[in-house]
Structures are given as structure tokens and as C-alpha cells.
Amino acid sequence: MTTTAAAPPTFTLPPLPYAFNALEPHIDAQTMQIHHDKHHGTYVNNLNAAIERAPELAKKSLDDLVAGVATVPEAVRTAVRNNAGGHWNHSLFWLWLDPAKKGGEPSGALGDAVKKSFGDYAKFKEQFTAAATGRFGSGWAWLLHKDGKLAITSTPNQDNPVMEGTRPSHVLLGLDVWEHAYYLKYQNRRPEYIAAFWNVVNWAEVSKRFDKAKG
Ligand code: MN
């Protein structure tokens, strides 16, 4: 029997761009390791498995798969929705967390837009926290650039605003509120995890996305 090299997988798990313990004590190392290696890794593996069942999807970018999920063949649509969504969301989530743990408020053009859109930073934080706390079950809270302003929304499961028509570049920030993101350290206390998130939010990354989105 001759063997041929297997085709490389369509999508691969990006490495976490900092150490698992880099966000301690706000997000613990064990949570980060399991979240990145196991949860995100499984979304990537399951997405590749779905694409093997619908090989015409292999030439699509991750952005296009997510944006066009409604047109994916029905046999793999749910798998693509959950796993392309999971891969897209987590690939950005790691970048939205800051190992420098500077926290604080956004400055510059983003800081101005927060004030213009929400009144002040405290009101923004309150509304984003409410969206994250109030998402029933598993899902995400989001900050978007929409109609020239900033807007807050939330989605269930591994859905995201791109599936609802938002351009990928206009998704500025997302917070994972699945229990797997916090249960080891915070158990059922999602509000404590959300409060801790503000210490590690990467405003430099959010600002970079905002500058691109506003053009
Ligand atoms: Mn997650």
C-alpha cells in the first residue's frame, strides 16, 4: 500500500501570543491552557472535519465562512456556524486580552468615541457589563463600530455579529462569557470574571481596530 501525505488541515490553531499565566491573577493559567488548547483547538478540528465533508468550502477564508454561514450546505451548516464561529471568536479573543494588564480607560480617538456614544467610560462599562452578565447561557458580548458610532450587542453560543451582517473589521471587542472561560476560578460568579476582564482588556488592540473601522 502506498501512502500519500495527508493534505494539511485548512485551518490551524494560532498559538496563544503570551504565556498561559500572563493574565494572572485575573484569568488563571489553567483556564487559559484548557480554553486555548482544548476548547479553541476543538473548534479548529471540528471546522476542518466539517470542511472535509464539504470540500468546496476549503477555499473560503474564515471571514467569508462566518459572514456567509447562511449559504453553507445544510449538511454542515450547524457545524460551520458553531466551529467557524468558535475559531473566529477565539482567534480575536486572545488578542483582546493584554498580558501587560494595564486596564484603565481607552484614550485617543477611541476614548472620544466612547464618550460620544455612551456619555462616559463608566456608562460604557456599565452597558457592556450588563450585556455580558445578561447573556443567558453561553455566548459573547461585543463592542461594534456601527453607523458611525459605537454599539454594544451580545450573541448566543459561538455566533457573532459578522453572522448578522457586521463587517469583520467593525467588530472592535468581544468578551467570551461561556462558563469554560471562567468556571475554574470564578465558578458561577460570572460578574466577578467580567469585573476582572476590565484589568486585562487590550485597549491598544481595540483602538487599532477602531482606527481601521472608521477609515
Ligand atoms: Mn471560549
Side-chain angles (χ1 to χ4, degrees), residues 35 39 43 90 93-94 140 158 176 178 180-181:
H35 198 175
H39 290 276
Y43 297 126
H90 288 83
F93 185 55
W94 313 130
W140 293 72
Q158 294 299 350
D176 187 345
W178 282 57
H180 69 223

Short mmCIF file of all heavy atoms in Angstrom, two decimals, residues 35 39 43 90 93-94 140 158 176 178 180-181, ligand 1:
data_model
loop_
_atom_site.label_atom_id
_atom_site.label_comp_id
_atom_site.label_asym_id
_atom_site.label_seq_id
_atom_site.Cartn_x
_atom_site.Cartn_y
_atom_site.Cartn_z
N HIS A 35 -8.72 26.51 27.82
CA HIS A 35 -9.54 27.32 26.91
C HIS A 35 -8.90 27.39 25.52
O HIS A 35 -9.55 27.15 24.49
CB HIS A 35 -9.71 28.72 27.51
CG HIS A 35 -10.84 29.52 26.92
ND1 HIS A 35 -11.19 30.75 27.41
CD2 HIS A 35 -11.69 29.26 25.90
CE1 HIS A 35 -12.22 31.21 26.71
NE2 HIS A 35 -12.53 30.34 25.79
N HIS A 39 -10.49 23.93 24.11
CA HIS A 39 -11.73 24.46 23.53
C HIS A 39 -11.48 25.05 22.13
O HIS A 39 -12.12 24.64 21.17
CB HIS A 39 -12.36 25.51 24.47
CG HIS A 39 -12.92 24.90 25.71
ND1 HIS A 39 -14.18 24.35 25.77
CD2 HIS A 39 -12.37 24.72 26.94
CE1 HIS A 39 -14.39 23.86 26.99
NE2 HIS A 39 -13.32 24.08 27.73
N TYR A 43 -12.61 23.58 18.31
CA TYR A 43 -13.34 24.31 17.26
C TYR A 43 -12.60 24.20 15.93
O TYR A 43 -13.22 23.98 14.87
CB TYR A 43 -13.53 25.79 17.63
CG TYR A 43 -14.37 26.03 18.86
CD1 TYR A 43 -13.89 26.80 19.92
CD2 TYR A 43 -15.65 25.48 18.98
CE1 TYR A 43 -14.65 27.01 21.07
CE2 TYR A 43 -16.42 25.69 20.11
CZ TYR A 43 -15.91 26.45 21.16
OH TYR A 43 -16.66 26.66 22.29
N HIS A 90 -12.50 33.12 19.04
CA HIS A 90 -11.36 32.91 19.94
C HIS A 90 -10.06 33.46 19.37
O HIS A 90 -9.21 33.95 20.12
CB HIS A 90 -11.23 31.43 20.31
CG HIS A 90 -12.31 30.97 21.23
ND1 HIS A 90 -13.56 30.59 20.77
CD2 HIS A 90 -12.37 30.89 22.60
CE1 HIS A 90 -14.32 30.27 21.82
NE2 HIS A 90 -13.63 30.45 22.93
N PHE A 93 -10.26 36.84 20.45
CA PHE A 93 -10.34 37.00 21.91
C PHE A 93 -8.96 37.04 22.55
O PHE A 93 -8.69 37.87 23.41
CB PHE A 93 -11.18 35.85 22.50
CG PHE A 93 -11.43 35.97 23.97
CD1 PHE A 93 -12.01 37.11 24.52
CD2 PHE A 93 -11.10 34.92 24.84
CE1 PHE A 93 -12.26 37.21 25.89
CE2 PHE A 93 -11.35 35.01 26.21
CZ PHE A 93 -11.93 36.16 26.73
N TRP A 94 -8.05 36.18 22.12
CA TRP A 94 -6.69 36.16 22.73
C TRP A 94 -6.01 37.52 22.53
O TRP A 94 -5.27 37.98 23.39
CB TRP A 94 -5.83 35.04 22.14
CG TRP A 94 -6.52 33.71 22.07
CD1 TRP A 94 -6.61 32.88 20.99
CD2 TRP A 94 -7.22 33.04 23.14
NE1 TRP A 94 -7.34 31.76 21.30
CE2 TRP A 94 -7.72 31.82 22.60
CE3 TRP A 94 -7.49 33.33 24.48
CZ2 TRP A 94 -8.46 30.91 23.37
CZ3 TRP A 94 -8.24 32.43 25.24
CH2 TRP A 94 -8.71 31.24 24.68
N TRP A 140 -21.43 35.62 23.93
CA TRP A 140 -20.43 36.68 23.88
C TRP A 140 -21.10 38.05 23.99
O TRP A 140 -22.23 38.22 23.54
CB TRP A 140 -19.69 36.63 22.52
CG TRP A 140 -18.83 35.41 22.35
CD1 TRP A 140 -19.24 34.13 22.14
CD2 TRP A 140 -17.40 35.38 22.39
NE1 TRP A 140 -18.14 33.30 22.05
CE2 TRP A 140 -17.01 34.04 22.19
CE3 TRP A 140 -16.40 36.35 22.57
CZ2 TRP A 140 -15.66 33.64 22.17
CZ3 TRP A 140 -15.07 35.96 22.55
CH2 TRP A 140 -14.72 34.62 22.35
N GLN A 158 -21.57 30.29 19.75
CA GLN A 158 -20.40 30.86 19.08
C GLN A 158 -20.83 31.75 17.91
O GLN A 158 -20.05 31.98 16.98
CB GLN A 158 -19.41 29.78 18.63
CG GLN A 158 -18.76 29.01 19.77
CD GLN A 158 -17.93 29.89 20.70
OE1 GLN A 158 -17.68 31.07 20.43
NE2 GLN A 158 -17.49 29.31 21.80
N ASP A 176 -15.88 36.62 25.90
CA ASP A 176 -16.41 35.26 26.00
C ASP A 176 -17.02 35.08 27.39
O ASP A 176 -16.32 35.21 28.39
CB ASP A 176 -15.22 34.30 25.79
CG ASP A 176 -15.62 32.84 25.70
OD1 ASP A 176 -16.76 32.50 26.07
OD2 ASP A 176 -14.76 32.04 25.27
N TRP A 178 -18.87 32.18 28.06
CA TRP A 178 -19.11 30.76 28.29
C TRP A 178 -18.53 30.40 29.67
O TRP A 178 -17.48 30.93 30.06
CB TRP A 178 -18.40 29.92 27.23
CG TRP A 178 -19.08 29.85 25.91
CD1 TRP A 178 -19.43 30.90 25.10
CD2 TRP A 178 -19.47 28.66 25.21
NE1 TRP A 178 -20.02 30.43 23.95
CE2 TRP A 178 -20.04 29.07 24.00
CE3 TRP A 178 -19.37 27.30 25.50
CZ2 TRP A 178 -20.54 28.15 23.07
CZ3 TRP A 178 -19.85 26.38 24.57
CH2 TRP A 178 -20.44 26.79 23.37
N HIS A 180 -16.80 27.95 30.36
CA HIS A 180 -15.43 27.43 30.23
C HIS A 180 -14.39 28.56 30.33
O HIS A 180 -13.22 28.31 30.55
CB HIS A 180 -15.25 26.60 28.95
CG HIS A 180 -15.31 27.35 27.64
ND1 HIS A 180 -16.01 26.89 26.54
CD2 HIS A 180 -14.76 28.52 27.24
CE1 HIS A 180 -15.88 27.74 25.54
NE2 HIS A 180 -15.11 28.74 25.94
N ALA A 181 -14.83 29.81 30.14
CA ALA A 181 -13.91 30.95 30.20
C ALA A 181 -13.59 31.37 31.63
O ALA A 181 -12.65 32.13 31.85
CB ALA A 181 -14.49 32.13 29.43
MN MN B 1 -14.40 30.21 24.81
#
